[in-house]
Amino acid sequence: MEDCKPTISVVEGEENVITATQNFVRALETNGNLTASMRKILEDLNTQLSTMNVQSESKQGIGKIEKQLSSVEEKITRWESDHSMIWESLPEAASEYLQAVDEVRKLAECLEDMSLGGDENVKELLRRTHGVLQIAMARLEEEFSFILSQNRQSFEPEHMSFRSCEDDSVHDFSGISIEYDQVEDSLQRDSSSRVSVDSLIDLVHPNVIPDLKCIANVMIASSYDQECCQAYISTRKEALDECLIQLEVEKMSIEEVMRMDWSDLNIVIKKWLRAMKTFAKVYLPSEKQLCEQIFGDISSVSSFCFFETSKPSILRLLSFGEAIAIGPLSPEKLFRILDMYEVLSDLLPHIDDLFLDEVGSFIKTEYHEVLKRLGDCIVGTYSEFENAVGSNQSTAPFAGGGIHHLTKYVMNYIKFFIDYSDTFNFLLRSHNGEGSVSMLPNLDSVDEKNK
């Protein structure tokens, strides 16, 4: 009797029979005259009935899920034959599409839990759901890129009030043997080096930010964060490249920079100075703001997108600084290199603030390294100036009398150090590892000697 295991198969529509049988078995179990073997049979029967009931409910659930999937699948796939953009259609179209995608995502999560039981029907339904989700994600990625691109705001660097670099006179200390009658007027420090251009601008029209954020949230929640980030990065990289073009930053290799003659290089440096300030103090903070507006709910994604988007452009700017730093040492370049060093030094807090987390440490490291190399270049260039003056052994009298051209040149050269005294003294201290080192003669002591 104990070996007898009653077997009952579930037939669709027999849920009421199962329930009635369960009630009957429970009633029998209350009979006190039942033997142990009969009681064991009833317990086994009740367990099997409960299992059958669960299976019946599961089949009902799968049927309901399949019906729901078919409904949302139709909403998603019908856009595949439509070449128009969803977010350019009626507002309710975009909302309905996002809702359908969110439903597919939830169905996938539900089926993933159910598939653990090994039911092949559930697994097949899960594969179908993932297929629909993939179609939807590809469409959302396309829509995301389209919205970003079409709603880009024009960037107008001229609103920073920078003077045209052609208005600046060229610094020319090309050789100590050349007479400089107008050196006092020929070297004016670039007044724009200290211009404050702190401000944030809208790089994408504010009206579309909520749409971009909704799309990003749905894609990230569906585990398609990598595709969403890639869509953002590729689109915004193009915008940053265009920004550098507007700022007149040419794409040049280190070798091309080192081959340029000084008159051309001087103009390129002045453009670089303005571009570096505008890019670091206006464009990059605005780009970070855009990332946070779209991905702000997930800071790690926001930081990653900002880093990957800005990295090529900032490295391009730093590459020019590196080319100048490792180029031939020449006294004529000293004051422009000092301008470059001061600009990078002034912008250092901005860069550190923009790349606070670990993902941005690479940019900060590169920035600090270029700044250090420019500092070393300045000290080396000054040494070249000293050596050039010291090695000049001209004994020919100065035609017509008066002040020797070398004396005029050196005095004018030193005079312009006054504007850079703090920076230059700092670099000399850092380089020599000594206390305060003055780059200018002690004029009081000179006067005493001449008395």
Side-chain angles (χ1 to χ4, degrees):
M1 193 71 173
E2 291 184 10
D3 295 333
C4 297
K5 302 283 185 178
T7 303
I8 304 175
S9 60
V10 179
V11 179
E12 189 175 356
E14 292 186 350
E15 294 85 0
N16 293 335
V17 175
I18 295 173
T19 303
T21 305
Q22 283 180 314
N23 293 334
F24 177 71
V25 169
R26 292 192 189 98
L28 288 176
E29 287 177 337
T30 59
N31 190 335
N33 297 324
L34 292 176
T35 63
S37 60
M38 288 295 296
R39 192 173 298 279
K40 180 66 169 64
I41 291 173
L42 289 175
E43 288 176 358
D44 291 343
L45 180 59
N46 196 29
T47 300
Q48 191 169 2
L49 288 169
S50 298
T51 301
M52 292 164 57
N53 200 33
V54 170
Q55 291 174 343
S56 177
E57 291 175 356
S58 177
K59 287 184 178 181
Q60 284 183 325
I62 293 173
K64 185 178 179 180
I65 289 174
E66 186 172 10
K67 183 178 179 181
Q68 187 178 359
L69 176 61
S70 297
S71 175
V72 294
E73 182 179 19
E74 189 276 332
K75 294 177 183 178
I76 289 171
T77 55
R78 67 183 173 87
W79 279 101
E80 296 309 299
S81 58
D82 192 332
H83 298 292
S84 62
M85 303 305 291
I86 300 174
W87 266 259
E88 285 196 327
S89 304
L90 295 174
E92 53 265 26
S95 177
E96 180 183 299
Y97 192 86
L98 282 178
Q99 185 178 354
V101 174
D102 196 49
E103 285 185 46
V104 175
R105 178 185 63 81
K106 291 176 180 177
L107 288 175
E109 291 176 354
C110 179
L111 288 167
E112 283 169 1
D113 292 337
M114 295 174 64
S115 67
L116 298 177
D119 191 317
E120 288 301 322
N121 292 329
V122 174
K123 290 182 178 180
E124 178 58 34
L125 197 57
L126 179 60
R127 283 190 288 269
R128 179 183 162 192
T129 305
H130 280 157
V132 175
L133 192 61
Q134 189 171 2
I135 293 171
M137 291 299 112
R139 183 59 182 246
L140 286 181
E141 184 179 347
E142 181 184 357
E143 297 276 342
F144 187 80
S145 297
F146 180 81
I147 296 171
L148 266 180
S149 177
Q150 293 300 309
N151 292 277
R152 183 189 306 171
Q153 299 271 71
S154 60
F155 175 62
E156 305 294 340
E158 54 267 24
H159 84 276
M160 301 305 164
S161 300
F162 289 148
R163 293 180 293 115
S164 170
C165 61
E166 284 74 16
D167 294 338
D168 292 328
S169 57
V170 175
H171 299 190
D172 190 3
F173 292 94
S174 56
I176 62 172
S177 63
I178 300 177
E179 182 175 354
Y180 289 85
D181 294 330
Q182 303 296 329
V183 176
E184 294 88 347
D185 299 324
S186 68
L187 180 58
Q188 297 296 326
R189 189 178 184 187
D190 188 352
S191 62
S192 69
S193 65
R194 298 291 181 178
V195 173
S196 176
V197 292
D198 296 54
S199 60
L200 290 175
I201 57 178
D202 291 320
L203 301 178
V204 171
H205 199 288
N207 289 350
V208 301
I209 296 297
D211 293 330
L212 292 168
K213 186 173 182 178
C214 285
I215 295 174
N217 286 342
V218 169
M219 292 188 71
I220 293 170
S222 304
S223 300
Y224 279 76
D225 47 306
Q226 185 174 351
E227 289 77 3
C228 185
C229 289
Q230 189 54 48
Y232 180 90
I233 292 166
S234 61
T235 304
R236 291 305 304 165
K237 271 184 181 179
E238 294 178 6
L240 267 69
D241 284 342
E242 288 185 16
C243 170
L244 292 185
I245 292 172
Q246 289 178 291
L247 292 172
E248 300 182 274
V249 176
E250 300 177 39
K251 185 175 286 187
M252 294 184 292
S253 67
I254 291 178
E255 292 75 17
E256 289 174 320
V257 174
M258 295 177 68
R259 286 198 301 265
M260 293 182 70
D261 61 60
W262 170 237
S263 60
D264 293 333
L265 185 59
N266 181 59
I267 294 174
V268 174
I269 290 175
K270 286 185 282 185
K271 291 178 179 179
W272 181 90
L273 291 169
R274 292 176 177 82
M276 194 71 211
K277 292 191 289 284
T278 304
F279 198 73
K281 299 183 78 173
V282 179
Y283 207 92
L284 281 183
S286 300
E287 186 66 43
K288 187 171 186 179
Q289 174 184 258
L290 179 62
C291 282
E292 291 173 347
Q293 288 173 334
I294 297 173
F295 304 106
D297 293 340
I298 308 174
S299 59
S300 59
V301 175
S302 175
S303 298
F304 174 77
C305 286
F306 174 64
F307 170 74
E308 290 295 331
T309 300
S310 59
K311 180 174 67 173
S313 297
I314 193 70
L315 289 182
R316 180 171 154 189
L317 289 165
L318 291 177
S319 176
F320 179 81
E322 183 180 6
I324 297 297
I326 65 178
L329 300 178
S330 177
E332 70 201 29
K333 301 176 183 178
L334 181 59
F335 297 101
R336 277 296 180 219
I337 300 174
L338 275 163
D339 283 337
M340 294 178 69
Y341 181 89
E342 287 192 346
V343 164
L344 287 185
S345 182
D346 289 345
L347 295 175
L348 186 58
H350 293 270
I351 297 298
D352 286 342
D353 287 343
L354 287 169
F355 300 97
L356 282 172
D357 44 26
E358 185 64 27
V359 72
S361 60
F362 172 75
I363 292 293
K364 290 194 289 187
T365 299
E366 291 295 311
Y367 193 96
H368 283 256
E369 184 61 29
V370 171
L371 186 61
K372 179 182 180 300
R373 288 179 180 176
L374 283 172
D376 293 340
C377 178
I378 289 167
V379 175
T381 302
Y382 183 68
S383 297
E384 284 292 308
F385 168 72
E386 288 183 312
N387 294 335
V389 173
S391 63
N392 187 285
Q393 299 179 356
S394 173
T395 58
F398 189 71
I403 301 174
H404 194 279
H405 67 277
L406 178 59
T407 303
K408 290 177 64 177
Y409 173 78
V410 172
M411 293 307 296
N412 280 314
Y413 198 93
I414 292 176
K415 182 180 70 174
F416 292 110
F417 272 118
I418 295 173
D419 282 343
Y420 302 91
S421 58
D422 290 341
T423 299
F424 202 79
N425 283 332
F426 168 76
L427 290 172
L428 287 178
R429 286 197 303 270
S430 301
H431 189 265
N432 296 330
E434 301 173 357
S436 178
V437 178
S438 176
M439 60 176 180
L440 297 173
N442 188 320
L443 298 181
D444 291 338
S445 63
V446 172
D447 290 341
E448 288 297 325
K449 290 180 181 179
N450 292 334
K451 288 181 179 179

